[in-house]
Amino acid sequence: MDLALLRTFVTVHRAGSFTRAAQLLGLSQPAVTGQIRTLERQVGRPLFLRLPRGVAPTTVGDELAHKVAPHLDALLEITAAAPDDDGPGTHSLHLAGPAEFTALRILPALAPLVTDGLHLRVSLSGDDEALAGLAAGHHDLAVVSVQPRDRLIAAVPLWDEEYALVAAPAWLAQAGGPHGVRDHGPQMLDDLPVVTCDEECRLLSQYWSAVFDAKPTRDPAVVVPDLRAVLDCVRDGAGLAVLPRYLCGPALAAGEIALLLEPPVPPLRTYFLATRVGTLALPHLARAHDRLLTAAQGW
């Protein structure tokens, strides 16, 4: 069998679509369709069931993919690791992730690889955009806060982000002191302005639901679409906010802001490190992936 046909077959099997496979392979959709038909003639059995949206592998297709995919990945690893005219460390890595977490955690962790020659191209985006770009081949790695359900994408838990309810120290007295909210409930915060990064107050709503089993009753006083700017507003006394602990930790330690509540179990959000299935055979991508998983153990 032609290795090019098998490569196309495995890409279609992972992508679940001739169209998506064509995008990943840099081919036209008719070319992909033609290659799959050629392979089906060679095998003598249909490999995919054509569906209204995409394709599903037959049992024969699943069996063939199980047999050949690991070997194609191994060949990819060998060819990608071969020295070239540009030297061993000149690969580019296209990464997508949320702005603040990428800036404060992901990029510092990858900096040593950049000094070794890795080229980074970074897209700051939300979960849906990052996953769509990853599936389409625009990104190599994506950091997202949802578990991907696309079979083309593999994801592993990276880190649990802890949230804190904070305000400038001057607001503590109005909230009943350091134990006011704990002893009397969220109504102690009714008169405090709210600072958030979106009109929906998603972080605040998630915190209220997890800690108080309720919904926040206040509209935001300040909306700014960057958590670092939210922190600056809180530090300057604009009101309360729910912020990731990694982001506001230094300000808490310096006494610039204060915790309004320390719940027994703080709300968490899990970040996932996502790749397209099979691409970890690329050495530069595998190094970055391993580097992030190792760095996250110390965050």
Side-chain angles (χ1 to χ4, degrees):
M1 292 182 184
D2 188 330
L3 284 177
L5 298 183
L6 291 176
R7 177 171 177 257
T8 298
F9 161 72
V10 169
T11 304
V12 172
H13 186 272
R14 287 170 169 168
S17 162
F18 288 164
T19 301
R20 294 173 71 186
Q23 293 172 343
L24 293 172
L25 293 166
L27 301 173
S28 67
Q29 183 174 335
V32 170
T33 302
Q35 289 187 21
I36 295 301
R37 287 175 177 167
T38 299
L39 188 59
E40 288 178 327
R41 286 195 297 269
Q42 292 181 4
V43 173
R45 304 281 291 278
L47 299 173
F48 296 102
L49 300 174
R50 277 63 171 178
L51 304 175
R53 296 184 64 181
V55 295
T58 63
T59 55
V60 175
D62 273 336
E63 181 184 12
L64 181 61
H66 179 73
K67 289 180 177 178
V68 304
H71 302 290
L72 287 173
D73 290 343
L75 287 173
L76 176 63
E77 183 174 3
I78 292 170
T79 55
D84 53 39
D85 293 339
D86 295 326
T90 55
H91 296 287
S92 291
L93 174 70
H94 293 262
L95 168 74
E100 300 85 3
F101 188 67
T102 300
L104 298 179
R105 287 292 183 264
I106 300 299
L107 293 180
L110 294 177
L113 299 184
V114 175
T115 62
D116 289 339
L118 180 70
H119 294 173
L120 274 178
R121 298 295 181 266
V122 181
S123 174
L124 303 177
S125 55
D127 292 339
D128 292 342
E129 184 181 351
L131 290 173
L134 180 64
H138 302 154
H139 312 311
D140 303 308
L141 277 177
V143 178
V144 293
S145 61
V146 295
Q147 175 75 64
R149 300 188 179 278
D150 192 327
R151 70 181 183 187
L152 177 64
I153 296 175
V156 295
L158 177 63
W159 191 63
D160 290 330
E161 179 178 79
E162 178 183 322
Y163 288 107
L165 180 63
V166 296
W171 287 108
L172 270 181
Q174 189 163 338
H179 305 303
V181 180
R182 184 195 67 185
D183 295 339
H184 303 289
Q187 61 269 21
M188 299 298 295
L189 304 172
D190 285 348
D191 294 332
L192 273 68
V194 171
V195 185
T196 181
C197 60
D198 54 45
E199 291 286 353
E200 296 78 17
C201 299
R202 282 174 290 183
L203 294 184
L204 192 77
S205 296
Q206 292 167 10
Y207 190 98
W208 249 244
S209 176
V211 176
F212 304 123
D213 193 23
K215 295 182 179 180
T217 58
R218 298 294 305 277
D219 291 329
V222 180
V223 177
V224 53
D226 188 304
L227 289 177
R228 290 162 293 190
V230 171
L231 173 60
D232 288 338
C233 290
V234 171
R235 185 188 286 117
D236 292 337
L240 67 82
V242 172
L243 289 170
R245 194 69 178 252
Y246 78 86
L247 176 63
C248 65
L252 281 169
E256 298 170 342
I257 61 174
L259 284 173
L260 296 173
L261 179 66
E262 293 193 61
V265 181
L268 300 174
R269 176 170 67 172
T270 300
Y271 280 112
F272 297 89
L273 187 57
T275 59
R276 286 188 308 283
V277 173
T279 56
L280 287 180
L282 296 169
H284 72 287
L285 180 51
R287 283 195 299 271
H289 191 272
D290 291 344
R291 177 79 186 179
L292 289 174
L293 292 177
T294 299
Q297 297 175 15
W299 290 344

